[in-house]
Amino acid sequence: MGEDYLATHLNSARALYRQRLGLLQSSRVDMQNILDLEFRMRVHIHVLANQIDDEQVEPEQAADSFIYLAARFSSKDETQQASAAETACEWLLEDSPVAHGARDALMLFPSPDAYSVMQKTYRDVESLRPVLIYILTQQGALLPKSLTHQAELQTQDPFLKAQTLYYAANDHNSDTGMFRDYYNSLLDDSKIEELEHGALVAAIWGGLVRGDDEAWVALQRAIVNESDDIQRLDFLRFAALSGKEQYLPMLENVAEHVPEVGYHFLALHGQTQSVQAILDGLIHPRTANYAEQAWWWVSGQILPKMPRLSVVGEENEIDDVELEDEVGYVPDTKPAQHWWGKQQQDTSVRWLQGQTFSISTVHKLMTQYSGVISNDLFDLYALSTQTPLHLGNYIWHDMRLQKINSLQPNESQPVNPGVRSA
């Protein structure tokens, strides 16, 4: 094969890798689009795997390091596979884009060689433990109990402790008591204990998805006690996912002061009053674009756009192109108001995609979309069914879809008290 032929495959694989990263960081993307992209990317990698150049210069960018390793992980040559595993873990140590490519290659191309090298690296290189836990969590790998054992957790650095607890929170085999040990001090007014934020968030999540009533008490107190406004948002997101009416005033306050987060939380909450607050947000130019995404979540509607000047009542004599450049567009609220006016305003209803909330609708959305929305869909499903969901956001999407389809939701599953089933 000629160099031009291989260069074409290399350039295509590089472009598709970067495009995939962009799609995964977008708010939502159609599942079929990313399935098609990943299929094409693997075709190019397969070709490159059959024509590996041992003299190839080591890469300097994330896309190049990913393709370098992916081709070798896909090779039929076991020596190439083993060498790639060693190289990937070495590159993880670098403070450069190469480490990001290595992380993604290890995540998407699991193998016995890679797992063995990662285990050894975990033992020998303390600084790499958080990223290795992350990779294995994404793969859905079963970690040795020693990694999540309480005694060992007490000796770990805060970031690693949070990562390990998050893994355990989403692992069916973890016991509720493990998480309760972390938030117990929140339940006892006589105890004053400085809790590590990341570990506490993961521990409370572990309790919530197992239906522990004390986790809900701990969540309420964590929201009240947290002095850092940014860190409090982690707890308020759980409150929003719960759909419990008691949290509405807190979420409305977030929408008022941090609209880019608050309207999203109102959408996750989904109660009738939340939907009305989102509709009100659509009317005001300052919040309209944030409320627009939230409106899609609760109603399923994609609203048409209208010139922003027409909202504030100014004369519009600028042509459309110049107008879009200078003042932009905002969502047209008329279809939203028309649809909402036709709905029964039952305050006990929780809304999702224009229907009463149901587990099956959450499951359907999980099969239809990828991107940042995945985080909320996975957590909403887990919390609603009180079932830990051991599912990575960044694995190959055909594998991810198989796992989602195997869940087979039914409306008779246990539902969190704040989540109303159809």
Side-chain angles (χ1 to χ4, degrees), residues 63-90:
D64 294 319
S65 65
F66 170 80
I67 295 162
Y68 181 101
L69 293 168
R72 285 157 177 77
F73 282 136
S74 302
S75 171
K76 295 177 182 178
D77 186 335
E78 293 182 0
T79 304
Q80 290 280 10
Q81 295 177 25
S83 176
E86 296 279 357
T87 301
C89 286
E90 289 173 9

Side-chain angles (χ1 to χ4, degrees), residues 283-303:
I283 298 170
H284 302 288
R286 183 180 75 89
T287 57
N289 288 325
Y290 305 122
E292 179 184 14
Q293 292 299 315
W295 185 256
W296 173 85
W297 181 275
V298 294
S299 73
Q301 284 186 313
I302 296 177
L303 299 175

Side-chain angles (χ1 to χ4, degrees), residues 24-161:
L24 291 176
Q25 291 165 9
S26 62
S27 58
R28 70 177 185 269
V29 58
D30 286 344
M31 182 66 74
Q32 193 57 52
N33 289 347
I34 201 158
L35 286 170
D36 293 344
L37 183 150
E38 288 182 343
F39 176 79
R40 287 184 286 132
M41 185 168 78
R42 282 183 289 194
V43 167
H44 295 300
I45 289 171
H46 176 75
V47 173
L48 296 169
N50 291 321
Q51 296 291 323
I52 292 175
D53 179 5
D54 291 326
E55 303 301 319
Q56 183 178 348
V57 177
E58 288 195 358
E60 296 181 356
Q61 299 301 318
D64 294 319
S65 65
F66 170 80
I67 295 162
Y68 181 101
L69 293 168
R72 285 157 177 77
F73 282 136
S74 302
S75 171
K76 295 177 182 178
D77 186 335
E78 293 182 0
T79 304
Q80 290 280 10
Q81 295 177 25
S83 176
E86 296 279 357
T87 301
C89 286
E90 289 173 9
W91 286 353
L92 284 179
L93 279 167
E94 296 192 19
D95 184 17
S96 71
V98 168
H100 296 292
R103 178 202 61 192
D104 292 345
L106 285 166
M107 196 156 48
L108 292 175
F109 295 92
S111 70
D113 280 325
Y115 185 66
S116 176
V117 173
M118 282 194 285
Q119 278 192 311
K120 181 179 184 300
T121 305
Y122 185 95
R123 290 192 301 269
D124 298 343
V125 188
E126 186 173 349
S127 64
L128 287 183
R129 289 176 185 173
V131 70
L132 292 171
I133 288 284
Y134 174 78
I135 291 168
L136 293 167
T137 299
Q138 284 291 316
Q139 292 175 346
L142 292 176
L143 303 185
K145 277 292 182 183
S146 60
L147 297 187
T148 54
H149 191 272
Q150 184 67 18
E152 181 174 328
L153 283 175
Q154 296 294 352
T155 66
Q156 293 176 349
D157 69 82
F159 186 51
L160 179 57
K161 186 182 294 187

Side-chain angles (χ1 to χ4, degrees), residues 138-281:
Q138 284 291 316
Q139 292 175 346
L142 292 176
L143 303 185
K145 277 292 182 183
S146 60
L147 297 187
T148 54
H149 191 272
Q150 184 67 18
E152 181 174 328
L153 283 175
Q154 296 294 352
T155 66
Q156 293 176 349
D157 69 82
F159 186 51
L160 179 57
K161 186 182 294 187
Q163 283 279 50
T164 310
L165 271 172
Y166 180 74
Y167 166 86
N170 292 291
D171 178 19
H172 295 268
N173 299 315
S174 300
D175 184 77
T176 303
M178 173 184 184
F179 309 107
R180 197 177 292 159
D181 285 343
Y182 278 88
Y183 52 75
N184 258 342
S185 63
L186 286 172
L187 308 175
D188 187 345
D189 292 332
S190 66
K191 289 185 179 179
I192 301 176
E193 185 178 335
E194 189 69 27
L195 300 169
E196 296 160 353
H197 177 73
L200 181 59
V201 171
I204 289 178
W205 176 247
L208 294 179
V209 295
R210 286 164 178 77
D212 182 17
D213 290 339
E214 292 185 346
W216 290 104
V217 177
L219 174 63
Q220 182 69 30
R221 295 192 177 181
I223 293 170
V224 173
N225 293 348
E226 181 57 68
S227 59
D228 186 301
D229 291 341
I230 300 299
Q231 292 188 161
R232 188 184 299 111
L233 294 177
D234 291 327
F235 299 121
L236 286 170
R237 178 175 175 272
F238 294 160
L241 287 165
S242 78
K244 292 187 175 186
E245 296 178 17
Q246 70 199 65
Y247 294 119
L248 178 65
M250 297 179 185
L251 302 179
E252 288 181 320
N253 184 59
V254 178
E256 172 65 26
H257 294 95
V258 195
E260 60 271 29
V261 177
Y263 281 97
H264 178 62
F265 284 1
L266 287 171
L268 298 179
H269 191 246
Q271 293 288 343
T272 295
Q273 300 97 317
S274 297
V275 179
Q276 184 60 56
I278 294 168
L279 184 61
D280 293 342

